[in-house]
Amino acid sequence: GLLCVLVQFWFLPRSVSWNVVAAGFVGVIRGGGAWVGTGPSSECLLVRMLQSNSLSAKFSSITLLAMLSCLIYSLYPFDLVLSLSELDEKRNAGRLRWWTEVSGTGWFAAVKGWLVSALRMVPFGAWFGFKFQPRLAIPTICLTAILFELLQLPIFSKHSACDEIPAGILGGLSGWLLVGKPNLWRSVLKESRFWFLGIAVCVVLLPLLFIVRGDAFVTDPQEIADRWWGMLSPPLTRYYFTSEYNALTNLAGKVGIFSILGVLFAGYARSRHGDSHPRVAISGFFVTGVLGIAIEVLQVYRYPLIADIWDIAIYLIGFLCGRIAGFWVLADWFREFGT
């Protein structure tokens, strides 16, 4: 707790008080209590997951972890609405609606909401396809998509919209097809061309995904110079100009997006070389680094985007996480089905 206070002296927007110290001690007590209650069983589950050579066991563990992460993300930061006036305030803020406005600059927020709703349902659809028959899995997917929107209804910071339910159902059905209809994709994933095409699509779409968030181009020479120098700020300082919730979701989103690129490079190496290949690994880190530099440079010229040179390290960490996870899962998949 004391260390947290000392560290926050260097970040001006952060509050420094004894409350932080008290919160740290409370966190230590809660963590110790959680370990006493669930620690040994969680450790055994994690060890079994990492040491298992069964594809189905690994898949089950990953989907369970992904489902838990999506559920926590949908409820975080747990700022519950405690009165009708707060619920009305949430509605006035545009976080409670029947449909999303897509005119003007609202189209990006609408597409982002639909994508998030679809992606968080993918592990649920995969799990239901793995455990249930189709006649039970499909209705369960539909009910889960509705339940997610209802769960976010009393969370003030979360958006709840009826038009995100169909997006969630489509995401769940995609996960169900991935598991329930393996013949649709089993032969495709053995082809290195599929993984290479995915890499090419990511290389094109990732810069666009970041740049389209901007509203206008920066044309003033002095402002451009200031934004270039601002890109060289200390590590992660920019994230502290927003709330902790926005900072964490921003970091998790960047890591998650570039982890997809890591999985694609892992799949390409497995399908073409049968194992990790140094040239493919070096190429992956090089491509990620170049993409990161291009994204940050382009953000210098797009308002109100903020360029940060340290985000390149975040992108590389995301790629590394995806590559490790991809090799861990695909090793048993290619062993079971052949290359």
Side-chain angles (χ1 to χ4, degrees):
L2 290 172
L3 181 61
C4 289
V5 172
L6 294 175
V7 168
Q8 290 185 114
F9 272 112
W10 298 95
F11 297 95
L12 295 180
R14 306 296 294 168
S15 60
V16 180
S17 68
W18 286 106
N19 291 339
V20 178
V21 180
F25 283 110
V26 171
V28 170
I29 295 172
R30 290 177 58 187
W35 170 255
V36 172
T38 63
S41 58
S42 300
E43 181 186 15
C44 292
L45 178 62
L46 181 62
V47 170
R48 286 201 306 268
M49 181 181 71
L50 295 175
Q51 295 181 345
S52 174
N53 292 322
S54 170
L55 178 62
S56 60
K58 285 186 177 182
F59 176 81
S60 179
S61 301
I62 290 176
T63 50
L64 281 174
L65 182 61
M67 289 164 63
L68 179 61
S69 301
C70 291
L71 181 61
I72 294 175
Y73 170 78
S74 298
L75 299 178
Y76 185 81
F78 307 103
D79 49 345
L80 295 174
V81 173
L82 301 178
S83 65
L84 291 178
S85 60
E86 290 181 353
L87 187 64
D88 190 59
E89 184 180 351
K90 176 178 179 177
R91 182 183 60 82
N92 293 332
R95 300 192 185 103
L96 180 60
R97 57 192 182 275
W98 290 105
W99 60 83
T100 305
E101 181 64 41
V102 294
S103 61
T105 58
W107 69 271
F108 180 78
V111 173
K112 179 182 177 182
W114 296 334
L115 284 176
V116 170
S117 299
L119 290 175
R120 74 183 175 195
M121 277 297 298
V122 170
F124 287 88
W127 174 259
F128 297 149
F130 186 65
K131 292 294 184 179
F132 301 148
Q133 295 295 325
R135 59 184 177 82
L136 184 60
I138 295 177
T140 307
I141 289 172
C142 298
L143 291 175
T144 305
I146 297 173
L147 181 61
F148 261 118
E149 297 305 318
L150 293 177
L151 285 175
Q152 293 184 142
L153 186 63
I155 306 298
F156 186 83
S157 300
K158 290 298 184 179
H159 291 255
S160 184
C162 291
D163 60 350
E164 293 181 358
I165 295 176
I169 293 174
L170 289 176
L173 292 175
S174 300
W176 172 72
L177 288 173
L178 184 67
V179 177
K181 302 291 184 181
N183 292 331
L184 294 177
W185 51 265
R186 181 175 294 172
S187 59
V188 176
L189 295 186
K190 296 178 183 179
E191 296 290 336
S192 60
R193 291 173 295 181
F194 167 81
W195 299 100
F196 184 81
L197 178 63
I199 293 171
V201 171
C202 275
V203 168
V204 174
L205 290 184
L206 283 179
L208 294 177
L209 180 64
F210 281 83
I211 300 306
V212 294
R213 299 177 300 158
D215 298 332
F217 284 97
V218 180
T219 56
D220 181 64
Q222 183 59 46
E223 186 175 359
I224 292 175
D226 293 340
R227 289 171 69 87
W228 270 105
W229 282 110
M231 186 171 64
L232 305 177
S233 59
L236 302 179
T237 306
R238 300 285 184 153
Y239 291 92
Y240 282 88
F241 287 95
T242 60
S243 65
E244 290 183 358
Y245 168 72
N246 289 332
L248 291 174
T249 53
N250 195 5
L251 283 170
K254 291 176 179 179
V255 171
I257 289 173
F258 274 87
S259 67
I260 298 174
L261 189 61
V263 171
L264 291 172
F265 267 95
Y268 179 79
R270 282 290 185 186
S271 60
R272 187 167 182 84
H273 302 286
D275 202 350
S276 177
H277 195 277
R279 187 170 58 186
V280 177
I282 294 173
S283 300
F285 281 104
F286 176 77
V287 169
T288 304
V290 171
L291 278 176
I293 294 172
I295 289 170
E296 297 308 313
V297 169
L298 288 173
Q299 288 186 137
V300 171
Y301 298 93
R302 290 287 284 173
Y303 184 84
L305 303 182
I306 299 176
D308 188 348
I309 193 70
W310 296 100
D311 276 349
I312 300 174
I314 302 298
Y315 305 149
L316 290 171
I317 291 173
F319 171 83
L320 179 62
C321 293
R323 184 174 182 273
I324 293 173
F327 273 115
W328 183 62
V329 176
L330 293 174
D332 293 314
W333 191 91
F334 280 105
R335 187 185 305 118
E336 187 169 331
F337 297 111
T339 57

